[in-house]
Amino acid sequence: ELAVPVREELLAELDRRGRRMRVAVNRRLEDARARLHHAARRHGLHAPAVRLARSRDALAAAAARLERAHPRAALAARRERLANLGERLERASPRHALPELAARLDRAEAALRQAAGAATAARRERLAAAAGRLEALSPLGVLSRGYSLTARADGRIVRRASELRPGDEVTTRLADGAFTARVERVDPEETRPHA
């Protein structure tokens, strides 16, 4: 009777811990996504195409000013320089970093889920082992092997025949139920004939 609630409590505790672990994993993933989003906004990653278009417009405007202000040879050199700067700007665009950041986030998420699964499995194994030990020590397990448990009318367990007197009422518990009886005779161990 004492063993069954403990086992149920252990299973309930395992479920609670599993839920807490899933909540913690999801919270960490959300935090990582929020940090990535914040970093993207802080560095202008949320609109790289807009920044690139603005830079191209500025380059075109600068090229137009140069063409109006300088001779053709100097203009060609500056155009080439502007083209090089445009290529460098394109290569340095933060949008090239986004796939790598997303891949790192995916790898971290997979590792976190795997670690959570392994921890849950280990806890389940420990719980199963503890439940097995508890079952072996359970009074109900002892009763199922053919033993019985006798108690007096006041609920105290009878451990020795000398604790009883003729006329006492006792309740005996077996594996499949219990019965009540009245003591007719008491034979203490020391009075029994030895075989």
Side-chain angles (χ1 to χ4, degrees):
E1 288 175 348
L2 293 175
V4 173
V6 171
R7 183 174 183 184
E8 290 172 355
E9 288 172 14
L10 288 173
L11 291 172
E13 178 64 20
L14 178 65
D15 286 342
R16 280 194 297 274
R17 288 186 182 199
R19 282 194 300 273
R20 281 201 306 265
M21 187 175 295
R22 284 191 294 276
V23 167
V25 166
N26 288 333
R27 188 175 300 133
R28 288 192 62 183
L29 288 173
E30 288 302 320
D31 288 345
R33 286 192 183 103
R35 284 196 307 274
L36 179 62
H37 182 67
H38 178 68
R41 291 184 63 199
R42 189 175 64 211
H43 295 294
L45 299 179
H46 60 289
V50 173
R51 289 184 62 196
L52 190 57
R54 286 179 188 159
S55 297
R56 283 183 180 149
D57 290 344
L59 288 173
R65 285 194 307 271
L66 285 174
E67 189 169 32
R68 287 191 304 268
H70 297 287
R72 287 194 180 273
L75 183 60
R78 292 193 180 199
R79 276 187 179 154
E80 186 177 347
R81 184 171 176 227
L82 286 174
N84 290 338
L85 288 173
E87 289 175 10
R88 285 172 56 193
L89 180 63
E90 180 73 25
R91 284 195 304 270
S93 171
R95 79 179 162 177
H96 293 294
L98 283 177
E100 175 59 27
L101 290 173
R104 286 174 58 193
L105 181 61
D106 289 343
R107 288 193 298 271
E109 180 180 355
L112 197 56
R113 288 188 187 281
Q114 184 178 6
T120 301
R123 285 194 171 101
R124 283 188 190 280
E125 287 178 14
R126 285 202 304 272
L127 179 63
R133 290 194 299 273
L134 189 61
E135 186 68 32
L137 297 173
S138 166
L140 297 178
V142 174
L143 295 179
S144 69
R145 292 194 296 271
Y147 292 90
S148 64
L149 187 64
T150 301
R152 298 169 59 103
D154 60 6
R156 288 184 298 159
I157 302 297
V158 177
R159 291 182 173 80
R160 293 184 178 80
S162 61
E163 296 176 11
L164 297 173
R165 300 284 177 264
D168 286 350
E169 187 175 286
V170 294
T171 299
T172 299
R173 172 138 180 125
L174 303 169
D176 63 346
F179 64 88
T180 302
R182 189 169 306 281
V183 177
E184 290 187 6
R185 188 180 75 231
V186 177
D187 294 327
E189 183 71 32
E190 57 271 9
T191 64
R192 281 194 197 151
H194 295 288

